[in-house]
Amino acid sequence: MPETAPHTTALDITGWTCPAPLRDRPRVVMGHGGGGALSAELVQHLFAPAFGGEVLAQLGDSAAVTLGGVRLAFSTDSYVVRPLFFPGGGIGDLAVNGTVNDLAMSGARAAYLSCGFILEEGVEMSVVARVAEALGAAARAAGVEVATGDTKVVEAGHGDGVYINTAGIGLIPAGVDLRPQRVVPGDVVIVSGEIGLHGVAILSVRDGLEFGVDIESDCAALGGLVQAMLAVTPDLHVLRDPTRGGLAASLNEIAAASGTGVVIQEGRVPVPAAVGNACAILGLDPLYVANEGKLVAFVPREHADAVLDAMRAHPLGRHAAVIGEAVADHPGMVVARTGLGGTRVVDLPIGEQLPRIC
Amino acid sequence: MKYIDEFQNPELARRLLDDIHATVTRPWALMEVCGGQTHTIIRHGIDQLLPEQVELIHGPGCPVCVTPLEVIDKALEIASRPDVVFCSFGDMLRVPGTGRDLFQVRSEGGDVRVVYSPLDALRIAQENPGREVVFFGIGFETTAPPNAMTVYQARKLGIRNFSLLVSHVRVPPAIEAIMRSPSCRVQGFLAAGHVCSVMGMGEYPELAARHRVPIVVTGFEPLDILEGVRRAVRQLERGEHTVDNAYARAVRPEGNPAALAMLEDVFEVTDRAWRGIGVIPDSGWRLSSRYREYDAEHRFSVTGINTLEPAECRSGEVLQGLLKPHECEAFGTLCTPRSPLGATMVSSEGACAAYYLYRRLELTPARTAVSPEASPVA
């Protein structure tokens, strides 16, 4: 050992401990709405036991129910995005496309939507009108009718201007049965296009983080793309739209519910350069960034090429790519093969992704 | 921005790996100082691709991990006050103090805001003259200059409702302390490139010579790490121990003079406690006496903090490179990112979190996998 310099002391690790106790969460924190492990825990351990019901236990993007002999998909979602308008969309079209897409993940074409507005006292009427017009236009483009609605106003300071809840129903075609339990090892994993656009577009205009990237949200209704895929084969195994929690959360949900493992080739996941660069600067992982116009599909291997061709022939699927497969190894776990040839686990996010310090 | 792709090029990585494999003849233990480097190593699986003889030991360079519990508790106390707007970088919000974190303070009504620059906090102070705005100034030599600049600006603009809760740390004294630990196994260092881009390399030659360790200034992309390993291993195989700059595109030997001048003006060197490690002499900065009025600890006189530390957590040893995360008994069982025992499991740059997030497959298969019989495999 060299001689001790006067300005240092030798460290003795005997008895060292790290602080920080285990915690519980007596109050709701933002992560409970982040689409990750905290959200799942809230639903599975608080809401589902309180509500009961077999349909809810499916925990899919939408519920598949049979009513009067007809198979329906039924879904609801609430939209609390800030800012209300962002590159490539706004809360109005988001409120339509989000629910339409949840229905589409059951194979259903959305038929009717409800629309509940919660407005904050003082918000400019021109803003409400702009949101409503965008919502109507998005509904017409998706071929869905807003059939019922509701409006409430909360006191100033109790909201972010405009919150919207939409619910929707649609018919599930005969022979279509999309659920993670149908996934088997060998299924091919296909993503419909470039990921991370919505999340980065929102970040790029968020207060305090404005950065000049030419990037727009991918907000879009996926009903048409799903119908094009089902036209090739009704035997798709599962579809998910990777919104909050990104592609990583959707793949983990499918792996957990199906009891299979998932392997993806990281280099095959389509990540636009602008998304990759923004994520690199902020310390985020594109796999965890939200999308609003993408889907991930688990398809039987024998149908994979035909389904991929059909997706690429559709405007919303032209960048579709095979990114991996379901495997019998490591059931319930998602693993990525890295560009350099290593491997890593792609875990369910805990809450929200947080930009790193440096 | 082409840089990012270029420094992740698999073919170039293979060439560097081949060179390292051809060079190594004996076991060597290298420490990457910075948590960002740890993150890159684990995320890209670099440690799996190196020769078995090259062991990478994860150093204490995660700013979130090393911030002392007492300072976190002070932050929680200040953030809970109704007259305070508490501003922080995002990844500090999830770090547990004694019993809670900043997210929970926010859920209890505290005005805790995530900002992306300390100057955003100063702007909030300007816009809210009736409230006290506190910025949580933590981190290494990389985040210290902008924080110093913010305090400088606050005084220049006459903004009096702004203060800084300071817990800045310096890397070279930590390297010195690691090398002096009786159980130290580190034979070479990959120094943190961004730290050197600010501070220059002037503090390293004496360290390298005194402890006879090569110190290679290294960047953060996969090829940067591999090049750093390659140069460190070459030195070790030749019996050399010099300071080598493998991050010349960002680091000049003299550092960044403007940033150094700002640090000199606003901060002064002080002893600093490192979480899980203890006090390292001269290893931190505090606001100098000229800027005392901007010191949140002084302004809010936070006293009576009772910290409570769980005995199971061994992240102090992890931060020293004396223990791999998965060698801790609590890893993946008592301690996960969902319910962390220590900050090394909380921060995305923490070695324990990196192992848990990316390495669970091979480290703890029995704990995470369900039995094959339970899966509906056709």
Side-chain angles (χ1 to χ4, degrees), chain A residues 2-5 7-8 11 16-21 23 25-28 30 41 208-209 258-259 277 281 285 333 338 342-345 347 350 352 356-358, chain B residues 1 4 43-44 48 69 91 94 97 101 104 106-108 116 120 176 180 182 275 277 281 309-310 313 315 320 337-338 340-341 348-349 357-360 368 375-376:
Chain A
E3 288 180 16
T4 304
H7 66 291
T8 60
L11 292 180
W16 276 359
T17 60
C18 177
R23 309 155 299 162
R25 295 206 175 260
R27 294 172 188 265
V28 171
M30 289 302 289
E41 197 170 273
L209 194 60
S258 67
N277 292 336
I281 290 168
D285 185 339
M333 190 179 281
T338 72
T343 58
R344 66 174 171 118
V345 173
D347 204 9
I350 299 170
E352 300 171 285
R356 288 212 304 265
I357 280 178
C358 64
Chain B
M1 281 311 216
I4 291 175
R43 184 176 172 197
H44 292 273
Q48 301 165 329
L69 182 63
D91 49 2
R94 207 154 49 205
D101 57 25
Q104 278 179 261
R106 195 158 80 175
S107 74
E108 291 159 10
Y116 304 95
D120 291 342
E176 177 73 40
R180 292 194 177 283
R275 189 170 197 173
I277 295 179
E309 308 190 3
C313 180
S315 71
Q320 289 278 306
R338 169 71 185 85
L341 284 174
S348 60
E349 291 186 9
L357 291 174
Y358 299 142
R359 278 285 169 278
R360 223 154 66 256
T368 51
S375 77

Coordinates of all heavy atoms in Angstrom, one line a residue, chain A residues 2-5 7-8 11 16-21 23 25-28 30 41 208-209 258-259 277 281 285 333 338 342-345 347 350 352 356-358, chain B residues 1 4 43-44 48 69 91 94 97 101 104 106-108 116 120 176 180 182 275 277 281 309-310 313 315 320 337-338 340-341 348-349 357-360 368 375-376:
Chain A
P2 N 0.5 2.3 -0.8 CA 1.3 3.5 -0.7 C 1.0 4.2 0.6 O 0.1 3.9 1.3 CB 0.7 4.3 -1.9 CG -0.6 3.7 -2.2 CD -0.6 2.3 -1.7
E3 N 1.9 5.2 0.9 CA 1.7 5.9 2.2 C 0.4 6.8 2.1 O 0.0 7.2 1.1 CB 2.9 6.8 2.4 CG 4.2 6.1 2.7 CD 5.4 7.0 2.9 OE1 5.1 8.2 3.1 OE2 6.5 6.5 3.0
T4 N -0.1 6.9 3.3 CA -1.4 7.7 3.4 C -1.1 9.1 3.1 O -0.3 9.7 3.8 CB -2.0 7.5 4.8 OG1 -2.2 6.1 5.0 CG2 -3.3 8.2 4.8
A5 N -1.8 9.7 2.2 CA -1.7 11.1 1.9 C -2.4 11.9 3.1 O -3.4 11.4 3.6 CB -2.3 11.5 0.6
H7 N -4.5 14.2 3.1 CA -5.9 14.7 3.0 C -6.9 13.5 2.8 O -8.1 13.7 2.5 CB -6.0 15.6 1.8 CG -5.8 14.9 0.5 ND1 -4.5 14.5 0.1 CD2 -6.6 14.6 -0.6 CE1 -4.6 14.0 -1.1 NE2 -5.8 14.0 -1.5
T8 N -6.5 12.3 3.1 CA -7.5 11.2 2.9 C -7.4 10.3 4.1 O -6.4 10.3 4.9 CB -7.1 10.3 1.7 OG1 -5.8 9.8 1.8 CG2 -7.2 11.1 0.4
L11 N -10.6 3.8 4.2 CA -12.0 3.4 4.4 C -12.1 2.1 5.0 O -11.4 1.2 4.7 CB -12.8 3.4 3.1 CG -13.0 4.8 2.4 CD1 -13.8 4.6 1.1 CD2 -13.7 5.8 3.3
W16 N -20.8 -1.1 7.4 CA -21.5 -0.2 6.5 C -22.9 -0.7 6.2 O -23.1 -1.8 5.9 CB -20.7 0.0 5.2 CG -19.6 0.9 5.3 CD1 -19.2 1.6 6.4 CD2 -18.7 1.2 4.3 NE1 -18.1 2.4 6.1 CE2 -17.7 2.1 4.8 CE3 -18.5 0.8 3.0 CZ2 -16.7 2.6 4.0 CZ3 -17.5 1.3 2.2 CH2 -16.6 2.2 2.7
T17 N -23.8 0.2 6.1 CA -25.1 -0.1 5.6 C -25.6 1.0 4.7 O -25.1 2.1 4.8 CB -26.1 -0.2 6.8 OG1 -26.2 1.0 7.5 CG2 -25.7 -1.3 7.8
C18 N -26.5 0.7 3.9 CA -27.1 1.7 3.1 C -28.5 2.0 3.7 O -29.1 1.1 4.2 CB -27.4 1.2 1.7 SG -28.2 2.4 0.6
P19 N -28.9 3.3 3.7 CA -30.2 3.6 4.4 C -31.4 3.1 3.6 O -31.3 2.1 2.9 CB -30.1 5.2 4.4 CG -29.1 5.5 3.4 CD -28.2 4.4 3.2
A20 N -32.4 3.8 3.7 CA -33.6 3.6 2.9 C -34.4 2.3 3.3 O -34.1 1.2 3.0 CB -33.3 3.5 1.5
P21 N -35.5 2.5 4.0 CA -36.3 1.4 4.4 C -37.3 0.9 3.3 O -37.5 1.6 2.4 CB -37.1 2.0 5.6 CG -37.3 3.4 5.2 CD -36.0 3.8 4.5
R23 N -40.9 0.5 1.8 CA -42.0 1.5 2.0 C -43.3 0.9 1.5 O -43.3 0.0 0.7 CB -41.7 2.8 1.2 CG -40.4 3.3 1.4 CD -39.9 4.1 0.2 NE -39.9 3.3 -1.0 CZ -39.9 3.8 -2.2 NH1 -40.0 5.0 -2.4 NH2 -39.7 2.9 -3.2
R25 N -47.2 2.6 0.1 CA -47.7 3.8 -0.5 C -49.1 4.1 0.0 O -50.0 3.6 -0.5 CB -47.6 3.8 -2.0 CG -46.2 3.6 -2.5 CD -46.0 4.2 -3.9 NE -44.6 4.1 -4.3 CZ -43.9 5.2 -4.3 NH1 -44.3 6.3 -3.9 NH2 -42.6 5.1 -4.7
P26 N -49.2 4.9 1.1 CA -50.5 5.2 1.6 C -51.3 6.2 0.7 O -52.5 6.3 0.9 CB -50.2 5.9 3.0 CG -48.8 6.5 2.8 CD -48.1 5.6 1.8
R27 N -50.7 6.8 -0.2 CA -51.4 7.7 -1.1 C -51.1 7.4 -2.5 O -50.0 6.8 -2.8 CB -51.0 9.2 -0.8 CG -51.5 9.7 0.6 CD -50.9 11.1 0.8 NE -51.1 11.5 2.2 CZ -52.1 12.2 2.6 NH1 -53.0 12.7 1.7 NH2 -52.3 12.6 3.8
V28 N -52.0 7.9 -3.4 CA -51.7 7.7 -4.8 C -50.5 8.6 -5.3 O -50.4 9.7 -4.9 CB -53.0 8.1 -5.6 CG1 -52.7 8.1 -7.1 CG2 -54.1 7.1 -5.3
M30 N -47.9 9.6 -8.9 CA -48.1 9.6 -10.3 C -47.9 8.3 -11.0 O -48.5 8.0 -12.0 CB -47.1 10.7 -10.9 CG -47.5 12.1 -10.6 SD -49.1 12.6 -11.1 CE -48.9 12.6 -12.9
E41 N -50.6 -3.1 -10.2 CA -50.8 -3.4 -8.8 C -52.1 -2.8 -8.4 O -53.0 -3.4 -7.7 CB -49.7 -2.9 -8.0 CG -49.6 -3.5 -6.7 CD -48.2 -3.1 -6.1 OE1 -47.2 -3.8 -6.3 OE2 -48.2 -2.1 -5.4
G208 N -40.6 23.5 -20.0 CA -39.3 23.3 -19.3 C -38.4 22.3 -20.1 O -37.2 22.2 -19.8
L209 N -39.0 21.7 -21.1 CA -38.2 20.7 -21.8 C -38.2 20.9 -23.3 O -37.8 20.0 -24.1 CB -38.7 19.3 -21.5 CG -37.8 18.1 -21.8 CD1 -36.5 18.2 -21.2 CD2 -38.5 16.8 -21.5
S258 N -49.5 -14.9 -20.9 CA -49.5 -16.1 -21.8 C -48.6 -17.2 -21.2 O -48.8 -18.4 -21.6 CB -48.9 -15.7 -23.2 OG -47.5 -15.4 -23.0
G259 N -47.7 -16.8 -20.3 CA -46.8 -17.9 -19.7 C -45.7 -18.3 -20.7 O -45.1 -19.3 -20.4
N277 N -32.3 9.8 -30.6 CA -31.4 10.9 -30.1 C -32.0 11.6 -28.9 O -31.3 11.9 -27.9 CB -31.1 11.9 -31.2 CG -30.3 11.3 -32.3 OD1 -29.6 10.3 -32.1 ND2 -30.4 11.8 -33.5
I281 N -30.4 11.7 -25.0 CA -30.1 12.9 -24.3 C -30.8 12.9 -22.9 O -30.3 13.3 -21.9 CB -30.6 14.2 -25.1 CG1 -29.7 14.4 -26.3 CG2 -30.6 15.4 -24.2 CD1 -30.3 15.3 -27.3
D285 N -35.4 5.1 -22.4 CA -35.3 3.9 -23.3 C -36.5 4.0 -24.3 O -37.6 3.9 -23.8 CB -35.3 2.7 -22.4 CG -35.1 1.4 -23.3 OD1 -35.3 1.4 -24.5 OD2 -34.7 0.4 -22.7
M333 N -41.0 -13.7 -19.1 CA -39.9 -12.7 -19.2 C -39.6 -12.2 -20.6 O -39.7 -13.1 -21.5 CB -38.7 -13.2 -18.5 CG -37.6 -12.2 -18.3 SD -36.1 -12.9 -17.5 CE -36.7 -13.0 -15.8
T338 N -29.0 -7.6 -27.8 CA -28.5 -6.2 -28.1 C -27.8 -6.2 -29.4 O -27.4 -7.2 -30.0 CB -27.6 -5.7 -27.0 OG1 -26.3 -6.4 -27.1 CG2 -28.2 -5.9 -25.6
G342 N -24.9 -9.0 -27.0 CA -25.2 -9.4 -25.6 C -26.7 -9.5 -25.5 O -27.5 -9.5 -26.4
T343 N -27.2 -9.8 -24.2 CA -28.6 -9.9 -24.0 C -28.9 -9.1 -22.7 O -28.0 -8.8 -21.9 CB -29.0 -11.4 -23.6 OG1 -28.3 -11.8 -22.5 CG2 -28.8 -12.3 -24.8
R344 N -30.2 -8.7 -22.6 CA -30.6 -8.0 -21.4 C -32.1 -8.3 -21.2 O -32.8 -8.6 -22.2 CB -30.4 -6.5 -21.5 CG -31.2 -5.8 -22.6 CD -31.0 -4.3 -22.5 NE -31.6 -3.6 -23.6 CZ -32.6 -2.7 -23.5 NH1 -33.1 -2.4 -22.3 NH2 -33.1 -2.1 -24.6
V345 N -32.5 -8.2 -20.0 CA -33.9 -8.3 -19.7 C -34.6 -7.0 -19.9 O -34.1 -5.9 -19.7 CB -34.1 -8.7 -18.2 CG1 -35.6 -8.7 -17.8 CG2 -33.5 -10.1 -17.9
D347 N -37.7 -5.2 -18.7 CA -38.6 -5.4 -17.6 C -39.9 -4.6 -17.7 O -39.9 -3.6 -18.5 CB -37.9 -5.1 -16.3 CG -38.6 -5.8 -15.1 OD1 -39.4 -6.7 -15.3 OD2 -38.2 -5.5 -13.9
I350 N -41.7 0.5 -13.7 CA -42.3 0.6 -12.4 C -43.4 1.6 -12.4 O -44.6 1.3 -12.1 CB -41.3 1.0 -11.3 CG1 -40.2 -0.1 -11.2 CG2 -42.0 1.1 -9.9 CD1 -39.0 0.3 -10.3
E352 N -43.4 5.9 -13.9 CA -43.1 6.7 -15.1 C -41.6 6.6 -15.3 O -40.8 6.5 -14.4 CB -43.4 8.1 -14.9 CG -44.9 8.4 -14.6 CD -45.1 9.8 -14.1 OE1 -44.7 10.1 -13.0 OE2 -45.6 10.6 -15.0
R356 N -32.8 11.2 -16.5 CA -31.7 11.1 -15.6 C -31.0 12.5 -15.4 O -31.2 13.4 -16.1 CB -30.6 10.2 -16.3 CG -31.0 8.8 -16.3 CD -29.7 7.9 -16.1 NE -28.7 8.1 -17.1 CZ -28.6 7.4 -18.2 NH1 -29.4 6.5 -18.5 NH2 -27.6 7.7 -19.1
I357 N -30.2 12.5 -14.3 CA -29.6 13.8 -13.9 C -28.5 14.2 -14.9 O -28.4 15.4 -15.3 CB -29.0 13.7 -12.5 CG1 -30.1 13.8 -11.5 CG2 -27.9 14.7 -12.3 CD1 -29.7 13.7 -10.1
C358 N -27.7 13.2 -15.4 CA -26.6 13.6 -16.3 C -26.3 12.4 -17.1 O -26.8 11.4 -17.0 CB -25.4 14.1 -15.5 SG -24.7 12.7 -14.5
Chain B
M1 N -25.7 14.2 -34.7 CA -26.3 13.1 -34.0 C -26.0 11.8 -34.6 O -26.4 10.7 -34.0 CB -27.9 13.3 -33.9 CG -28.3 14.3 -32.9 SD -27.5 14.0 -31.3 CE -28.8 14.5 -30.2
I4 N -24.1 8.9 -32.3 CA -24.7 7.8 -31.5 C -24.6 6.5 -32.3 O -24.1 5.5 -31.7 CB -26.1 8.1 -31.0 CG1 -26.0 9.3 -30.1 CG2 -26.7 6.9 -30.4 CD1 -27.4 9.8 -29.6
R43 N -26.6 -2.6 -20.2 CA -27.7 -2.5 -21.2 C -27.3 -3.1 -22.5 O -28.1 -3.8 -23.2 CB -28.1 -1.0 -21.4 CG -29.2 -0.9 -22.4 CD -29.7 0.5 -22.6 NE -30.7 0.4 -23.6 CZ -31.1 1.5 -24.3 NH1 -30.7 2.6 -24.0 NH2 -32.0 1.3 -25.2
H44 N -26.0 -3.0 -22.9 CA -25.6 -3.5 -24.2 C -24.9 -4.9 -24.0 O -24.4 -5.5 -25.0 CB -24.6 -2.6 -24.9 CG -25.3 -1.3 -25.3 ND1 -25.9 -1.2 -26.5 CD2 -25.5 -0.1 -24.7 CE1 -26.5 0.0 -26.6 NE2 -26.2 0.7 -25.5
Q48 N -20.7 -9.3 -21.0 CA -20.8 -10.7 -21.4 C -19.8 -11.0 -22.6 O -19.5 -12.1 -22.9 CB -22.2 -11.0 -21.9 CG -23.3 -10.8 -20.9 CD -24.7 -10.7 -21.5 OE1 -24.8 -10.3 -22.6 NE2 -25.6 -11.1 -20.8
L69 N -28.6 9.9 3.0 CA -29.9 9.8 3.4 C -30.3 11.1 4.2 O -31.4 11.6 4.1 CB -30.1 8.6 4.4 CG -31.5 8.4 4.9 CD1 -32.5 8.1 3.8 CD2 -31.5 7.2 5.9
D91 N -35.1 12.1 -11.5 CA -34.7 10.8 -10.9 C -34.5 10.9 -9.4 O -34.3 9.8 -8.7 CB -33.5 10.1 -11.6 CG -32.4 11.0 -11.8 OD1 -32.4 12.2 -11.4 OD2 -31.4 10.6 -12.4
R94 N -37.8 9.5 -6.8 CA -38.2 8.2 -6.3 C -37.2 7.6 -5.3 O -37.3 6.5 -4.8 CB -38.2 7.2 -7.5 CG -39.1 6.1 -7.4 CD -39.6 5.5 -8.7 NE -38.6 5.3 -9.7 CZ -38.8 5.3 -11.0 NH1 -40.1 5.5 -11.4 NH2 -37.9 5.1 -11.8
G97 N -36.2 8.4 1.2 CA -35.6 8.9 2.4 C -36.0 8.0 3.6 O -36.3 6.8 3.4
D101 N -40.7 9.3 0.0 CA -39.8 9.9 -1.1 C -40.6 11.2 -1.5 O -41.6 11.5 -1.0 CB -39.6 8.9 -2.2 CG -40.9 8.4 -2.9 OD1 -41.9 9.1 -2.7 OD2 -40.9 7.3 -3.4
Q104 N -44.1 10.9 -2.7 CA -45.1 10.9 -1.6 C -45.3 12.2 -1.0 O -46.5 12.6 -0.7 CB -44.7 9.9 -0.6 CG -45.0 8.4 -1.0 CD -44.6 7.4 0.0 OE1 -43.6 6.8 -0.2 NE2 -45.4 7.2 1.0
R106 N -45.3 14.9 -2.6 CA -46.2 15.6 -3.6 C -47.6 15.1 -3.4 O -48.5 15.9 -3.5 CB -45.7 15.3 -5.0 CG -46.3 16.3 -6.0 CD -45.5 16.4 -7.2 NE -45.6 15.3 -8.1 CZ -45.1 15.2 -9.4 NH1 -44.3 16.2 -9.8 NH2 -45.3 14.2 -10.1
S107 N -47.7 13.8 -3.2 CA -49.1 13.2 -3.0 C -49.7 13.7 -1.7 O -51.0 13.7 -1.6 CB -49.1 11.7 -3.1 OG -48.5 11.2 -1.9
E108 N -48.9 14.2 -0.8 CA -49.4 14.7 0.5 C -49.7 16.2 0.4 O -50.0 16.8 1.4 CB -48.5 14.4 1.6 CG -48.4 12.9 1.9 CD -47.1 12.5 2.7 OE1 -46.4 13.4 3.1 OE2 -46.9 11.3 2.8
Y116 N -35.8 20.5 -15.6 CA -34.8 19.9 -16.5 C -33.5 20.7 -16.5 O -32.6 20.4 -17.1 CB -35.4 19.7 -17.9 CG -36.6 18.8 -17.9 CD1 -37.9 19.4 -17.9 CD2 -36.5 17.4 -17.8 CE1 -39.0 18.6 -17.8 CE2 -37.6 16.6 -17.8 CZ -38.9 17.2 -17.8 OH -40.0 16.5 -17.7
D120 N -34.6 26.7 -14.8 CA -36.0 26.6 -14.8 C -36.5 26.9 -13.3 O -37.5 27.6 -13.1 CB -36.5 25.2 -15.2 CG -36.3 24.9 -16.6 OD1 -36.1 25.9 -17.4 OD2 -36.3 23.7 -17.0
E176 N -9.3 8.1 -4.7 CA -8.3 8.0 -3.7 C -8.7 7.1 -2.6 O -8.0 6.2 -2.1 CB -8.0 9.4 -3.2 CG -6.9 9.5 -2.1 CD -5.5 9.2 -2.6 OE1 -5.2 9.7 -3.7 OE2 -4.8 8.5 -1.9
R180 N -7.4 3.3 -1.2 CA -6.9 3.2 0.1 C -7.6 2.1 0.9 O -7.2 1.8 2.0 CB -6.9 4.5 0.8 CG -6.0 5.5 0.2 CD -5.7 6.7 1.1 NE -4.7 7.5 0.5 CZ -3.4 7.2 0.4 NH1 -3.0 6.2 1.0 NH2 -2.6 8.0 -0.2
P182 N -8.6 -1.2 2.4 CA -7.8 -2.4 2.6 C -8.2 -3.6 1.7 O -7.4 -4.4 1.3 CB -8.0 -2.8 4.0 CG -8.5 -1.6 4.7 CD -9.2 -0.8 3.7
R275 N -23.4 8.3 0.5 CA -24.4 7.4 1.0 C -23.9 5.9 1.0 O -23.4 5.5 -0.1 CB -25.7 7.4 0.2 CG -26.8 6.6 0.8 CD -28.1 6.9 0.1 NE -29.2 6.5 0.9 CZ -30.5 6.7 0.6 NH1 -30.8 7.4 -0.5 NH2 -31.4 6.2 1.3
I277 N -21.3 4.8 2.2 CA -19.8 4.8 2.3 C -19.3 5.5 3.5 O -18.5 5.0 4.3 CB -19.2 5.4 1.0 CG1 -19.5 4.5 -0.2 CG2 -17.6 5.5 1.2 CD1 -19.0 5.1 -1.5
P281 N -12.9 12.8 3.0 CA -12.4 14.2 3.1 C -12.3 14.9 1.8 O -11.9 14.3 0.7 CB -11.0 14.0 3.7 CG -11.1 12.6 4.4 CD -12.0 11.8 3.5
E309 N -31.7 3.5 8.9 CA -31.1 2.7 7.9 C -31.4 1.2 8.0 O -31.2 0.7 9.1 CB -29.6 3.0 7.8 CG -29.3 4.4 7.8 CD -27.8 4.7 7.5 OE1 -27.1 3.7 7.3 OE2 -27.4 5.9 7.5
P310 N -31.8 0.5 7.0 CA -32.0 -0.9 7.1 C -30.7 -1.7 7.1 O -29.8 -1.4 6.4 CB -32.8 -1.3 5.9 CG -32.5 -0.3 4.9 CD -32.1 1.0 5.6
C313 N -29.1 -3.8 3.8 CA -28.6 -3.3 2.5 C -27.1 -3.2 2.5 O -26.5 -2.6 3.5 CB -29.2 -1.9 2.2 SG -28.6 -1.2 0.7
S315 N -25.3 -1.8 -0.1 CA -24.9 -1.0 -1.3 C -23.6 -0.3 -1.0 O -22.9 0.1 -2.0 CB -26.0 -0.1 -1.7 OG -26.2 0.9 -0.8
Q320 N -18.4 0.5 -3.6 CA -16.9 0.4 -3.5 C -16.3 -0.7 -4.5 O -15.1 -0.8 -4.6 CB -16.5 -0.1 -2.1 CG -16.7 1.0 -1.0 CD -15.5 1.9 -1.0 OE1 -14.4 1.5 -0.9 NE2 -15.8 3.2 -1.1
P337 N -36.4 -2.8 -7.6 CA -36.7 -1.4 -7.9 C -38.1 -1.0 -7.3 O -38.3 0.2 -7.0 CB -36.7 -1.3 -9.4 CG -35.8 -2.4 -9.8 CD -36.0 -3.5 -8.8
R338 N -39.0 -1.9 -7.2 CA -40.3 -1.6 -6.7 C -40.3 -1.3 -5.2 O -41.0 -0.4 -4.7 CB -41.3 -2.8 -7.0 CG -42.6 -2.7 -6.3 CD -43.5 -1.7 -6.9 NE -44.7 -1.6 -6.1 CZ -44.9 -0.8 -5.1 NH1 -43.9 -0.1 -4.6 NH2 -46.0 -0.8 -4.4
P340 N -37.1 -0.7 -3.0 CA -35.7 -0.8 -2.8 C -35.3 -0.6 -1.4 O -35.9 0.1 -0.6 CB -35.2 0.4 -3.7 CG -36.4 1.4 -3.6 CD -37.6 0.5 -3.6
L341 N -34.2 -1.3 -1.0 CA -33.6 -1.1 0.3 C -32.6 0.1 0.2 O -32.5 0.9 1.2 CB -32.8 -2.3 0.7 CG -33.6 -3.5 1.2 CD1 -32.6 -4.7 1.5 CD2 -34.3 -3.2 2.5
S348 N -31.7 4.7 -12.1 CA -31.5 4.0 -13.3 C -30.0 3.7 -13.5 O -29.6 2.8 -14.2 CB -32.1 4.6 -14.5 OG -31.5 5.9 -14.7
E349 N -29.2 4.6 -12.9 CA -27.7 4.4 -13.1 C -27.1 3.6 -12.0 O -25.9 3.3 -12.0 CB -27.0 5.8 -13.1 CG -27.3 6.6 -14.3 CD -26.5 7.9 -14.3 OE1 -25.6 8.0 -13.5 OE2 -26.8 8.7 -15.2
L357 N -32.6 -4.9 -13.6 CA -33.3 -4.7 -14.9 C -32.8 -5.5 -16.0 O -33.6 -6.0 -16.8 CB -33.2 -3.2 -15.2 CG -34.0 -2.2 -14.3 CD1 -33.7 -0.8 -14.7 CD2 -35.5 -2.5 -14.3
Y358 N -31.6 -5.7 -16.1 CA -31.0 -6.3 -17.4 C -30.4 -7.7 -17.2 O -30.2 -8.3 -18.2 CB -29.9 -5.3 -17.9 CG -30.4 -4.0 -18.3 CD1 -29.6 -2.8 -18.0 CD2 -31.7 -3.8 -18.9 CE1 -30.1 -1.6 -18.4 CE2 -32.1 -2.5 -19.2 CZ -31.3 -1.4 -19.0 OH -31.7 -0.2 -19.3
R359 N -30.1 -8.1 -16.0 CA -29.4 -9.3 -15.8 C -30.1 -10.4 -15.1 O -29.6 -11.4 -14.7 CB -28.1 -9.0 -15.0 CG -27.0 -8.4 -15.8 CD -26.3 -9.5 -16.6 NE -25.4 -8.9 -17.5 CZ -25.8 -8.4 -18.7 NH1 -27.1 -8.4 -19.1 NH2 -24.9 -7.8 -19.5
R360 N -31.4 -10.2 -14.8 CA -32.1 -11.1 -14.0 C -32.2 -12.5 -14.6 O -32.2 -13.5 -13.9 CB -33.5 -10.6 -13.7 CG -33.9 -10.8 -12.3 CD -35.0 -9.7 -11.8 NE -36.2 -9.9 -12.5 CZ -36.6 -9.1 -13.5 NH1 -35.8 -8.1 -13.9 NH2 -37.7 -9.2 -14.1
T368 N -37.5 -15.9 -10.7 CA -38.4 -15.2 -11.6 C -39.2 -16.1 -12.6 O -40.2 -15.7 -13.1 CB -37.6 -14.2 -12.5 OG1 -36.5 -14.9 -13.1 CG2 -37.0 -13.1 -11.6
S375 N -47.0 -23.4 -18.0 CA -47.2 -22.6 -19.1 C -48.0 -23.4 -20.2 O -47.8 -24.6 -20.4 CB -45.9 -22.1 -19.7 OG -45.2 -23.1 -20.4
P376 N -48.8 -22.7 -20.9 CA -49.6 -23.4 -21.9 C -48.9 -23.6 -23.2 O -49.3 -23.2 -24.3 CB -50.8 -22.4 -22.2 CG -50.2 -21.1 -21.9 CD -49.1 -21.3 -20.9

